[in-house]
Amino acid sequence: MEKPQDHNDQEPSKSPTTPASPTCASSTSVKCTGSTSFHPPPTQSPWSEISPPSTYRPIRSPAINPPPNKNSQAIMLAPVPQSQKVFTISLPHPFQSPSKKIHSPDDIRQFINSDSSKNFLGFIVSLSESIRSHKTSDSFHESTTLKKIVSIIETLIQWTEEIPPAQQSSRYGNISYRTWHNRLVENSESLMLQILPELLKSSMVEIVPYFTDSFGNSSRIDYGTGHETNFAAWLYCLARMGVIEEVDYQALVSRVFVNYIELMRKLQLVYNLEPAGSHGVWGLDDYHFLPFIFGSSQLINHKFMKPKSIHNEDILENFSNEYMYLSCIVFIKKVKKGLFAEHSPLLDDISGVPNWNKVNSGLLKMYRAEVLEKVPIMQHFLFGSLIQWYGYVLVIAPPTVTWKSKWHAGINMFPPLFDRADVVVMMSVIPNVELEFPEPLYENDLFK
């Protein structure tokens, strides 16, 4: 039997285009006589691995073929979401326990077209605009309320030190996370009392569910963009109540949200939270979306750093603490192995966009389409008096009835929905609408 070769002592194989000749010492030409017309290939790259050339373009053809995305063109053609001033409530206010309302694509369309959705998304756009061209460490107004919120998040981080992960064989979902989450639920009301004034203590019945759903699911031991959206919804509810004001927005991103992301990364690493509803390799990120929006806004109009700078390890090392987008890239490279273009092809593709303004506007449109318009994510979203569900009221009555409404602009007449000549149908998109008409034959809120 032939003795196996020792690969450690094996000489490098010669190029197939330059076959070896027993009478020729040179390997740069196939001829033994005459000079070669080309130089041998360089022994190393003309640029270092940590500093790609200025002409770098992302890899457009990763090893795995992307799944078909019929929504990509629709996302590109959609208008960029615009900032909106948050509608504050007046006191006294009838707070209520929030509940789930979204169960189908029809519900999603109803939500997306509602004032609640537009104002909530406008709030996120306002946060993005507040941090535009600012580093995380820049000085800004920081209210006492925001300092208390940061203190609450720091307390939650400290709990991860007090509740170590259990020894178990499974890779994902450490059961000690349930202990951490149970402590969160048990202390949620006392944590809310730290930031709520006396007149708003009755709001705990409505805002606590948003808060406790912001850090993952204790049953599935997972976390995803839906939980992140709940945290944004919790902040939005505080803004609706006037606890947070517009002057606080920059600190809300640079202090509160940055600490929130730090907490979630801690939970992901300590308790191995499973990605909730992840798109896998073809998603933006396994867990987060909003830090990419806020982080891209930070880098708008930066003199030196461009979207392609995420491939420069020197930039990532020196500036990730100042810019959330770069911090996200660093964390992804830390927890994922292999070529960046293969484990994060969408981010690699975005790095080819010419400027951060286009990146930011594209991510806002993508957040609307890939998070707020997805049933698997939004079916867990909660609606109450602060984030209202605009249900339809169906009223059936004889066609001779004179229809009047105190909110006349919100009333739409439709042709009869039934094969009957003795009824007409009216539908209202105004919540808690009051109609003035004789006693109807049938009235029902279809979506309660």
Side-chain angles (χ1 to χ4, degrees):
M1 179 181 295
E2 184 179 356
K3 183 179 179 180
Q5 294 182 353
D6 187 349
H7 292 283
N8 293 328
D9 297 329
Q10 184 179 357
E11 294 183 0
S13 60
K14 294 180 174 55
S15 171
T17 58
T18 56
S21 173
T23 60
C24 179
S26 173
S27 62
T28 61
S29 176
V30 296
K31 297 180 180 180
C32 292
T33 59
S35 60
T36 179
S37 60
F38 53 87
H39 296 288
T43 57
Q44 62 181 7
S45 173
W47 57 81
S48 67
E49 293 182 356
I50 62 174
S51 298
S54 57
T55 57
Y56 173 84
R57 304 300 294 177
I59 299 175
R60 297 294 177 173
S61 300
I64 307 173
N65 293 326
N69 187 356
K70 298 179 181 179
N71 294 330
S72 58
Q73 186 175 4
I75 294 174
M76 290 186 293
L77 296 177
V80 179
Q82 300 298 311
S83 61
Q84 282 193 16
K85 183 180 179 65
V86 172
F87 306 139
T88 55
I89 63 172
S90 58
L91 298 176
H93 181 81
F95 297 104
Q96 63 187 63
S97 178
S99 59
K100 300 175 183 179
K101 298 291 187 181
I102 294 177
H103 308 288
S104 67
D106 288 338
D107 295 336
I108 285 289
R109 285 189 288 271
Q110 183 176 331
F111 167 65
I112 286 297
N113 293 325
S114 69
D115 289 339
S116 291
S117 168
K118 295 173 183 177
N119 198 231
F120 173 62
L121 184 56
F123 169 70
I124 292 176
V125 177
S126 296
L127 294 181
S128 175
E129 292 179 352
S130 71
I131 199 68
R132 178 174 294 177
S133 304
H134 288 289
K135 296 186 294 185
T136 300
S137 62
D138 284 352
S139 59
F140 40 76
H141 170 78
E142 189 173 2
S143 66
T144 303
T145 299
L146 292 191
K147 291 179 181 178
K148 291 179 180 179
I149 296 177
V150 171
S151 177
I152 290 173
I153 296 176
E154 290 174 347
T155 299
L156 302 184
I157 294 175
Q158 179 60 34
W159 290 354
T160 63
E161 304 292 338
E162 300 171 6
I163 306 174
Q167 297 296 323
Q168 61 184 48
S169 58
S170 60
R171 176 185 176 188
Y172 280 113
N174 194 282
I175 58 176
S176 290
Y177 170 74
R178 291 174 177 155
T179 304
W180 182 92
H181 198 276
N182 288 338
R183 183 184 292 190
L184 168 71
V185 174
E186 292 169 359
N187 293 272
S188 58
E189 291 191 3
S190 62
L191 294 174
M192 293 301 99
L193 288 176
Q194 297 181 26
I195 60 176
L196 292 177
E198 186 68 28
L199 292 175
L200 291 172
K201 287 184 178 180
S202 61
S203 68
M204 285 195 297
V205 67
E206 185 160 345
I207 67 172
V208 164
Y210 290 105
F211 181 75
T212 55
D213 283 349
S214 298
F215 308 97
N217 183 278
S218 60
S219 299
R220 299 186 301 269
I221 313 183
D222 64 4
Y223 173 86
T225 51
H227 302 103
E228 180 187 68
T229 299
N230 270 324
F231 185 75
W234 177 67
L235 297 176
Y236 173 75
C237 289
L238 295 180
R240 286 218 63 196
M241 295 188 296
V243 177
I244 294 173
E245 301 176 349
E246 282 191 51
V247 69
D248 299 318
Y249 282 5
Q250 187 175 343
L252 200 61
V253 177
S254 295
R255 292 294 182 268
V256 174
F257 203 83
V258 166
N259 278 272
Y260 169 72
I261 295 299
E262 179 185 349
L263 165 62
M264 293 319 307
R265 287 174 181 164
K266 186 85 171 179
L267 292 175
Q268 292 158 25
L269 294 176
V270 173
Y271 302 119
N272 296 324
L273 301 187
E274 191 169 359
S278 172
H279 290 283
V281 68
W282 297 108
L284 185 70
D285 181 73
D286 285 339
Y287 300 100
H288 295 289
F289 203 115
L290 292 179
F292 292 95
I293 293 177
F294 301 149
S296 60
S297 182
Q298 285 183 291
L299 289 162
I300 289 177
N301 297 327
H302 197 282
K303 292 183 179 179
F304 308 108
M305 280 185 276
K306 307 299 179 184
K308 64 185 178 184
S309 298
I310 66 168
H311 302 286
N312 189 315
E313 296 294 337
D314 292 334
I315 289 179
L316 295 179
E317 180 180 356
N318 289 288
F319 297 100
S320 60
N321 291 333
E322 295 286 6
Y323 299 99
M324 277 180 282
Y325 196 100
L326 302 182
S327 176
C328 291
I329 300 299
V330 169
F331 185 75
I332 289 172
K333 289 188 173 184
K334 176 183 176 180
V335 299
K336 293 186 177 182
K337 305 302 180 183
L339 293 176
F340 184 78
E342 292 184 355
H343 63 63
S344 301
L346 181 56
L347 288 170
D348 184 74
D349 194 56
I350 291 174
S351 69
V353 177
N355 58 70
W356 289 110
N357 193 55
K358 288 185 176 294
V359 172
N360 181 253
S361 60
L363 288 175
L364 284 169
K365 292 190 288 186
M366 186 177 174
Y367 180 76
R368 183 181 187 269
E370 297 296 331
V371 177
L372 299 185
E373 293 184 4
K374 295 299 182 183
V375 174
I377 296 175
M378 298 304 292
Q379 66 181 345
H380 304 292
F381 197 70
L382 301 173
F383 295 88
S385 67
L386 297 173
I387 303 179
Q388 293 180 327
W389 174 252
Y390 286 71
Y392 286 93
V393 177
L394 175 63
V395 179
I396 305 174
T400 56
V401 169
T402 301
W403 298 86
K404 296 175 61 178
S405 172
K406 295 180 180 179
W407 291 273
H408 188 72
I411 297 302
N412 296 310
M413 294 297 295
F414 290 86
L417 299 182
F418 305 96
D419 187 19
R420 291 174 57 184
D422 60 336
V423 296
V424 293
V425 175
M426 170 177 281
M427 302 184 75
S428 171
V429 294
I430 302 298
N432 303 319
V433 66
E434 296 182 16
L435 298 174
E436 297 178 353
F437 51 84
E439 186 70 21
L441 301 179
Y442 176 74
E443 181 178 359
N444 182 35
D445 185 352
L446 295 180
F447 295 90
K448 275 189 177 180

